[in-house]
Amino acid sequence: MEQRYRKVVPAGVLSIMTAMAASADNTDRFELGRIEVSAEQTLPATSSESIDTQALREENRETVGEALDLLPGVTLSTFGSRNEQTLYIRGNDLRQVPVFIDGIPVYVPYDGYVDLGRFTTYDLAEINVSKGFSSVLYGPNTLGGAINLISRRPQQIWEGDIGIGYASGEQDGSDSQRVWMNIGSNQGLWYSQISASWLDQNAWALSDDFEAVDTEDGGLRDNSYRNDQKISLKLGYTPNSSDEYAIGYINQQGEKGTPPYAGTDSSTSARYWQWPYWNKESLYVVTQTSLGEGRYIKSRVYYDIFENSLYSYDDDSYSSQTYGYAFRSWYDDYSYGASLEYGQPLGNHSLKAALHYKLDHHEEHDDDDPKQNYEDDIVSLAVEDTWMLSPQQYLVAGISHDRRRSLQAEEYDSDTGLISDFDNNNASAWNPQIGWFAQLDKQREVRLTLSRKTRFPTIKDRYSYRMGSALPNPDLEAEKSTILEAGGSQLWGDWLRLDGTVFYSKIRDLIQSVDLDEDTYQLQNIGKVTSKGLELSAVSWIGDSLQLDANYSLLKRTNDSSDLVLTDVPDHKLQGRISWQATDPLRLAIRGQYESERYSDSDGTIELAAWSRIDLTADYDFTQTLKGQLGVTNLGDRNYALDDGFPEPGRQWHASLNWQF
C-alpha cells in the first residue's frame, strides 16, 4: 500500500495499518527540527498533519504552497500584483500561521509573509502543519497554527537522489526545466547533508479559453518568467544516542516577473513590475543534550537575511522608467534570534518550558532617497505540560507570554528631505490553551481543544504609507483568536480510515482598513470575525493495488464588525485521488479538485467563479533506484483564477527522472 500524506497517529493504530507504519519509520527527517505537542508516546488524534517526500514527488508538488494545497482546511491563493504564492489555513493568512524551517521562523520581517512559490520542496523530508491547537513552544504569532518545513537527515553511510524534470504548456516558449540533488552520509559519530535545486521558466501558457484584454493578448502569459536556485547544507555531530548538535545553512537565489493585471475591473491598473533578485540566506544551529532521567535541553540559534529589489516600469516594454509611478526600490531585512527549551518527566507529567528571542530589522529606500530603518524585538516565554491521565488519555495544557518592543522606526519626508522617527510602541499578549486527547480503542481516537492565540501587527502594518494611499498607525494592537475544536478518527480494519474535525473561532481586534477620506485609509483594530467549519478526509485501500483518497472542507466566515467582505477563501473545497498499481512497475493516478466561489475584493463587487481541475500522473519504476514520471495538470485546460485579473496556467505537461542511491 502506498503512503502519501498522513495524520499523526498513535502506535496502537500504527500496528494495524501497514501504510501508516511505514510513515512512522520515516527516520530520514531531521527530528531536532520538529516542534509538536507530544508525550512519551505519540498523542492520539492530534490536529497535526504531515506530507512526506514520497507524496511530494508522486504529486509533482514543487513548491510548499502547491504541496499544502493537498490538505483539507488549506486554501492556496496568490498575491497576483506581486506574483507571490500564499495560502490560508481555515481563513488565516501566513502572518497568522507563520512558516518555520526546522523550528526556526523564516517569515519576512517587514510584512510577516513568505512567498511560498520561492520555497521549493526538493530538499525536504516532511512538511508538518498544525492547525489552531499548535504547541506554545513554537513561539509568538501562531494565531491560526504553524507550518514547519523539516529538512533531511541521512541514515546510511552513503545515500541520496538526483533528478531532472521538464514541463511545458501548449504554446511555444512555455517550457521550463528543473534539476535537483540530495547527497548525505551518516558515519555514526557525525553526518552531513547537501541539497541543491535549480528551476528555470521562460513563461507559462494561458488556457485557450482565456479572453484577451488590453494588457494580455493570451497565449504565453506576459512577464511570467522565474528562476530559482537553492542550496542547503547540514553538518551534525552525534556523540551518543541521545545528544545531537547540528549546523545548517540555506541559500536561495531567485528572480521573477509579475504578470500584469488581466481582468476587467476598470479601477485596477496594470503594474509592470520585475524583481531582479529575491534572495534569502539562513544560518542556524540546533542542539539537544540529555541531562539524564528523561531531562533534556534543546537550543536553536539562527541568523536570517532577506534581500530583494523591485523595479516598476512605464509599460510592457520593461525598458523605461520616466513616469511618476515608475520606481526602483531595494529592501534589506535580517533577523536573528535564539530559543532554549527544557523538558523533564515528573510522574505522569511531561513538562516543557521554552524561552524565545527574535530581532527583526527592515531597511528600505528608493532611488536617491536615504535609507529608512525599522527594528522590533520579541521575547516569548512558554510552558507546556502533557499529563497522562491513563495509558490512552492525555491532557495538554500550555501558556505563553509574548512581548514585542519597537526599537526603531523612521519615516522619510520627500518634500523636506528629512528623516524623523515614529513614536515607539510596545505590546504584550498571553496565549493559554488546553486539550484532551484519547484513544478509545484500537480503531477510534478523539480530541477536544480550546486555545487563545494572538498575532502582533508587522512593521508594514504599523508604518507603511502604502504608496501614498494609507496613513500609518503605530499603535496597532495584537489580533486575538479563541478557537474551540473537536475531532477524531475511525478505522475499519486495514481498508478504511476516516478523519473529521469541527471548529469554531472568534477573532477580535482584527486589523482592517478604515476609510479616512476618498483617497486615504488607515489600518485599525476594529475587526471581529466568526469562523466555523468542518473538515473530513478518507483513505481507503482496496486490495493490494487500489488506493482512494478524498477530503472536503467547509468554512463559513462572518465579519461581525463591518460590511467589508472576507476575501480569498471559498466556502467549499473538495478533492479526491485514485491511485492504481497497474503492474509491478507502473502506477497510474488521477486527481480531481473543486473549489467554490470566492470574493477577491473587500467591497464584494468582484467574485471569482467556482472552478474544477483534473490532473493525471503515471509513475514507472525502471529499476529499484531509477523512477520516471509523466503527467498533465489541468487536463481540461480550464481558465480559472485565484486572484482577480491573474489567471492560472492552462494545460501543462511534465516529465521527470529520479535516481535514488
Side-chain angles (χ1 to χ4, degrees):
M1 301 176 186
E2 60 172 314
Q3 157 64 20
R4 301 185 46 262
Y5 64 86
R6 63 183 179 91
K7 283 272 192 176
V8 178
V9 294
V13 175
L14 290 173
S15 65
I16 301 173
M17 302 174 62
T18 57
M20 293 298 178
S23 179
D25 293 332
N26 181 22
T27 52
D28 64 340
R29 61 181 178 240
F30 184 50
E31 290 293 338
L32 287 190
R34 299 174 69 87
I35 300 179
E36 294 176 3
V37 176
S38 62
E40 292 296 322
Q41 299 181 20
T42 307
L43 288 175
T46 68
S47 57
S48 175
E49 293 178 280
S50 295
I51 307 171
D52 65 17
T53 186
Q54 181 179 341
L56 296 173
R57 299 286 72 81
E58 288 181 1
E59 296 272 12
N60 189 43
R61 303 289 165 143
E62 295 182 328
T63 69
V64 170
E66 294 168 350
L68 291 175
D69 192 36
L70 295 170
L71 299 178
V74 178
T75 300
L76 182 64
S77 189
T78 60
F79 291 143
S81 60
R82 296 173 60 88
N83 192 18
E84 290 186 358
Q85 195 178 91
T86 187
L87 55 79
Y88 296 81
I89 295 182
R90 297 177 179 173
N92 299 298
D93 66 26
L94 288 177
R95 296 170 303 169
Q96 301 160 326
V97 187
V99 177
F100 299 78
I101 295 179
D102 291 333
I104 292 168
V106 294
Y107 57 81
V108 177
Y110 178 51
D111 61 12
Y113 288 107
V114 290
D115 181 359
L116 294 180
R118 310 273 75 77
F119 283 75
T120 54
T121 61
Y122 296 107
D123 61 336
L124 300 180
E126 180 180 288
I127 304 175
N128 182 269
V129 180
S130 297
K131 305 174 188 175
F133 192 86
S134 58
S135 175
V136 294
L137 304 179
Y138 268 112
N141 295 324
T142 57
L143 181 146
I147 299 168
N148 196 11
L149 313 180
I150 301 173
S151 63
R152 298 185 180 215
R153 181 186 186 277
Q155 299 301 302
Q156 307 299 321
I157 294 177
W158 182 252
E159 65 178 53
D161 70 288
I162 298 173
I164 58 173
Y166 175 83
S168 178
E170 298 194 339
Q171 297 282 336
D172 290 341
S174 63
D175 56 323
S176 62
Q177 303 82 32
R178 62 269 295 126
V179 179
W180 66 93
M181 174 192 72
N182 298 284
I183 298 176
S185 175
N186 191 320
Q187 300 292 325
L189 189 62
W190 61 272
Y191 62 85
S192 62
Q193 176 77 42
I194 179 170
S195 300
S197 64
W198 172 79
L199 284 78
D200 184 71
Q201 174 180 275
N202 299 319
W204 50 262
L206 290 160
S207 164
D208 287 342
D209 294 333
F210 174 80
E211 296 183 3
V213 294
D214 290 341
T215 55
E216 175 58 69
D217 59 1
L220 293 179
R221 184 67 162 113
D222 294 341
N223 203 39
S224 63
Y225 69 89
R226 65 174 286 191
N227 183 281
D228 288 286
Q229 305 170 50
K230 181 179 180 182
I231 184 170
S232 57
L233 309 170
K234 187 186 290 97
L235 182 65
Y237 173 60
T238 51
N240 52 56
S241 61
S242 58
D243 297 349
E244 186 170 348
Y245 308 88
I247 181 170
Y249 173 73
I250 303 171
N251 186 308
Q252 298 174 232
Q253 305 282 328
E255 62 175 308
K256 62 178 180 177
T258 296
Y261 179 75
T264 58
D265 180 17
S266 59
S267 64
T268 302
S269 301
R271 293 175 172 178
Y272 301 102
W273 284 8
Q274 293 182 339
W275 307 76
Y277 61 88
W278 195 105
N279 301 339
K280 188 173 180 63
E281 283 187 274
S282 299
L283 178 66
Y284 61 95
V285 177
V286 183
T287 74
Q288 178 165 301
T289 304
S290 172
L291 303 178
E293 299 179 345
R295 297 174 299 152
Y296 71 89
I297 289 180
K298 181 184 291 186
S299 67
R300 292 180 172 88
V301 181
Y302 57 91
Y303 185 73
D304 201 38
I305 300 173
F306 174 76
E307 299 175 334
N308 70 34
S309 62
L310 170 61
Y311 288 8
S312 171
Y313 294 90
D314 297 332
D315 52 39
D316 60 4
S317 68
Y318 298 96
S319 59
S320 61
Q321 296 175 303
T322 57
Y323 298 136
Y325 52 77
F327 60 84
R328 290 188 294 174
S329 292
W330 293 267
Y331 304 91
D332 296 307
D333 291 7
Y334 65 81
S335 293
Y336 60 79
S339 65
L340 188 66
E341 179 184 324
Y342 171 78
Q344 80 166 56
L346 187 63
N348 290 334
H349 296 263
S350 177
L351 299 174
K352 297 179 181 180
L355 176 65
H356 302 268
Y357 176 80
K358 187 175 192 288
L359 183 139
D360 292 334
H361 179 90
H362 171 70
E363 179 185 291
E364 67 175 68
H365 71 98
D366 289 347
D367 269 340
D368 302 323
D369 289 343
K371 295 179 180 179
Q372 302 157 67
N373 294 280
Y374 305 82
E375 197 164 84
D376 288 346
D377 72 359
I378 300 177
V379 176
S380 177
L381 177 62
V383 178
E384 186 172 87
D385 176 28
T386 301
W387 180 13
M388 188 172 69
L389 303 174
S390 73
Q392 289 78 36
Q393 293 189 65
Y394 296 83
L395 190 68
V396 178
I399 188 169
S400 69
H401 181 261
D402 307 331
R403 187 212 64 189
R404 190 216 67 225
R405 295 186 303 169
S406 173
L407 304 178
Q408 186 178 23
E410 298 177 331
E411 64 174 331
Y412 171 66
D413 189 323
S414 59
D415 294 329
T416 64
L418 298 176
I419 286 183
S420 59
D421 291 333
F422 284 103
D423 293 334
N424 288 349
N425 55 89
N426 303 324
S428 62
W430 289 93
N431 305 277
Q433 64 179 24
I434 189 168
W436 173 70
F437 303 83
Q439 182 179 350
L440 302 181
D441 52 40
K442 290 185 177 181
Q443 284 75 38
R444 292 179 296 168
E445 304 169 356
V446 294
R447 72 177 180 276
L448 181 64
T449 64
L450 177 64
S451 58
R452 181 187 183 274
K453 295 293 187 72
T454 58
R455 197 265 307 181
F456 289 130
T458 65
I459 292 172
K460 182 177 181 179
D461 288 338
R462 288 175 284 143
Y463 301 122
S464 176
Y465 283 93
R466 314 267 172 162
M467 297 184 178
S469 62
L471 184 68
N473 185 0
D475 296 322
L476 282 172
E477 299 179 355
E479 299 174 333
K480 305 172 183 68
S481 176
T482 301
I483 307 168
L484 178 64
E485 179 179 329
S489 64
Q490 172 73 55
L491 284 171
W492 279 273
D494 61 355
W495 68 277
L496 177 63
R497 174 187 173 92
L498 298 178
D499 291 272
T501 300
V502 293
F503 61 89
Y504 179 88
S505 72
K506 297 280 288 188
I507 299 179
R508 61 186 179 90
D509 293 332
L510 186 70
I511 297 171
Q512 292 186 334
S513 61
V514 176
D515 290 333
L516 302 179
D517 55 48
E518 62 180 12
D519 298 319
T520 310
Y521 68 89
Q522 185 182 56
L523 297 180
Q524 299 180 9
N525 291 106
I526 64 166
K528 295 181 180 179
V529 171
T530 300
S531 298
K532 49 190 174 182
L534 167 70
E535 296 166 9
L536 299 173
S537 60
V539 183
S540 179
W541 298 268
I542 301 175
D544 294 328
S545 61
L546 198 63
Q547 178 175 325
L548 287 73
D549 301 88
N551 63 65
Y552 167 72
S553 306
L554 169 66
L555 178 64
K556 294 291 186 180
R557 297 189 297 165
T558 305
N559 189 338
D560 302 325
S561 55
S562 74
D563 294 330
L564 293 177
V565 173
L566 302 173
T567 63
D568 299 310
V569 180
D571 288 350
H572 305 276
K573 175 184 175 182
L574 175 65
Q575 54 183 336
R577 183 178 188 266
I578 301 174
S579 177
W580 176 41
Q581 194 74 42
T583 65
D584 188 45
L586 177 63
R587 182 174 56 255
L588 305 175
I590 178 170
R591 168 175 287 280
Q593 182 165 337
Y594 165 82
E595 294 189 12
S596 62
E597 299 84 356
R598 67 177 82 183
Y599 287 103
S600 192
D601 72 322
S602 59
D603 295 329
T605 58
I606 301 175
E607 185 179 44
L608 301 181
W611 59 272
S612 60
R613 197 182 83 183
I614 293 177
D615 303 335
L616 301 176
T617 57
D619 292 272
Y620 193 85
D621 298 342
F622 295 98
T623 67
Q624 288 186 338
T625 59
L626 182 62
K627 304 177 185 298
Q629 184 180 82
L630 292 173
V632 56
T633 58
N634 194 4
L635 177 66
D637 197 37
R638 295 295 184 91
N639 180 42
Y640 69 99
L642 306 179
D643 188 10
D644 176 58
F646 298 93
E648 293 296 297
R651 185 184 297 115
Q652 288 188 315
W653 303 87
H654 60 88
S656 64
L657 280 174
N658 191 29
W659 175 50
Q660 299 175 329
F661 55 91

